[in-house]
Amino acid sequence: MIALEDVAIAYGLGARTLVVVRDLTLSIAEGEAVGLVGESGSGKSTVLRAIAGLVPQAAGRITLAGREVRRQRTTAERKMVQMVFQDPYGSLHPNQTVDQILALPIAIHRLDRGEARIAQVLAEVGLGREHRYRYPHQLSGGQRQRVAIARALILEPRILLLDEPTSALDVSVQAEILNLLVRLRRDHGLTMLMVSHDLAVIAHLCERIGVMNHGRLLEITTATAMAHNQVSHDYTRQLLRSNAGFDRSGLALA
Ligand code: ADP
Ligand code: MG
C-alpha cells in the first residue's frame, strides 16, 4: 500500500537546501500498521508529510496502492491518504462547529450523501448527536481528537498517517483513542503509519516499528523484539532505555 524507495526529502531552495531525510526505503502492506520512533528532529513528521504529498521528495520514489505518485497529487490520491496531528486544538478551526469541520472535506471532494456521512462518521468515532453543533472549545481533548479522526475518515481513505495522535492527551484518554484506532483499522482495513515517542503507544497499534535517527531509517524491528530488547542497533537500545518502563506498560497495553 505504501512503498518508499531511496527517498530523500529536503526543505528550502538553492543554497539553503537542507536534506533532512535520506536513503529511506520502507514498504507497508495493505492493512498493516507500522510505527516510527526516534528522537525529536530525526525526520519522522517529514516522512509522513512526504507520503501525504505536503512536501516534495528530493529523490527516490513513492508508490501508493501500487501507483507511483508525484508531488502534484490527483484528487483521488489526496483522498486516499489522510493525516491526524498531535494537537487537535491546533488542527481544528476554532470558529467552525464539528458539523462544519466535517462538511468541508465533503464539499471539497464533492461527495454525495453528506448528511448521512457526517452522522455515520460521528457514530464511528464515538461522538453523539449532541456533539455535532459544538465548537472545538466546547469539547474535551479526547473528543477533539475524535473529531480530527472523523475528519480524516470521512473521505474513506485507505491510508491513515498519525503524527503523535495521543501525545497531547491524558493517559486514560490516550488508551481510548488508541483502542479507537485499533478498531478503525480492523473495520476498514486501513493501512496506518504512526509516529510516537512513546514505545508503549506504538506497540499497542503496530506490529513493525521503524527507528529513525538523523534522517535515516536505522532499522525495522517488531514491537515484540523491542519489548524483549532484541534489537540490532545501539541507538535503538539507547531509545529503549530512555523509554524506561516500556516492557511493563507495553505488556499492560498489549
Ligand atoms: P521529527 O518529527 O522526527 O521531530 P521533523 O520531521 O519535524 O522531525 O524534522 C526533521 C528536520 O527537519 C529537523 O531538523 C527540522 O528542524 C527540519 N524541518 C522540519 N520542518 C521544516 C521546515 N518546514 N523547514 C525547514 N526545516 C524543517
Ligand atoms: Mg514530529
Side-chain angles (χ1 to χ4, degrees), residues 167-179:
S167 303
L169 306 173
D170 295 341
V171 175
S172 61
V173 181
Q174 277 189 10
E176 282 176 30
I177 296 294
L178 271 177
N179 289 332

Side-chain angles (χ1 to χ4, degrees), residues 40-178:
S40 180
S42 58
K44 306 180 298 295
S45 297
T46 299
V47 171
L48 298 192
R49 281 183 214 128
I51 295 171
L54 302 176
V55 295
Q57 78 258 32
R61 301 206 304 171
I62 299 181
T63 308
L64 301 177
R67 288 184 54 176
E68 185 174 353
V69 291
R70 317 238 155 243
R71 199 231 166 145
Q72 202 61 45
R73 301 285 168 92
T74 65
T75 309
E77 286 164 355
R78 278 204 301 272
K79 189 167 169 283
M80 180 164 67
V81 184
Q82 294 297 315
M83 202 151 158
V84 175
F85 300 91
Q86 168 174 352
D87 172 17
Y89 210 50
S91 74
L92 301 176
H93 197 293
N95 296 330
Q96 290 183 340
T97 63
V98 171
D99 182 72
Q100 290 170 320
I101 288 166
L102 297 177
L104 190 61
I106 292 176
I108 290 172
H109 288 265
R110 297 198 180 86
L111 302 183
D112 61 353
R113 301 186 302 105
E115 172 62 34
R117 282 177 196 269
I118 292 175
Q120 190 195 332
V121 83
L122 283 175
E124 269 199 277
V125 300
L127 291 173
R129 263 177 302 211
E130 71 274 22
H131 300 114
R132 181 162 169 179
Y133 297 98
R134 288 199 196 158
Y135 291 92
H137 71 89
Q138 296 171 317
L139 299 169
S140 70
Q143 288 169 338
R144 282 197 288 265
Q145 197 55 299
R146 287 173 196 269
V147 173
I149 293 169
R151 177 179 57 186
L153 279 183
I154 204 156
L155 293 174
E156 298 178 349
R158 298 175 73 185
I159 297 170
L160 207 54
L161 304 173
L162 304 150
D163 198 349
E164 303 266 7
T166 64
S167 303
L169 306 173
D170 295 341
V171 175
S172 61
V173 181
Q174 277 189 10
E176 282 176 30
I177 296 294
L178 271 177

Side-chain angles (χ1 to χ4, degrees), residues 230-249:
Q230 291 160 344
V231 296
S232 29
H233 280 262
D234 281 343
Y235 176 75
T236 312
R237 261 185 283 279
Q238 208 179 305
L239 207 63
L240 280 168
R241 273 197 297 275
S242 65
N243 261 257
F246 165 61
D247 302 63
R248 213 170 0 110
S249 50

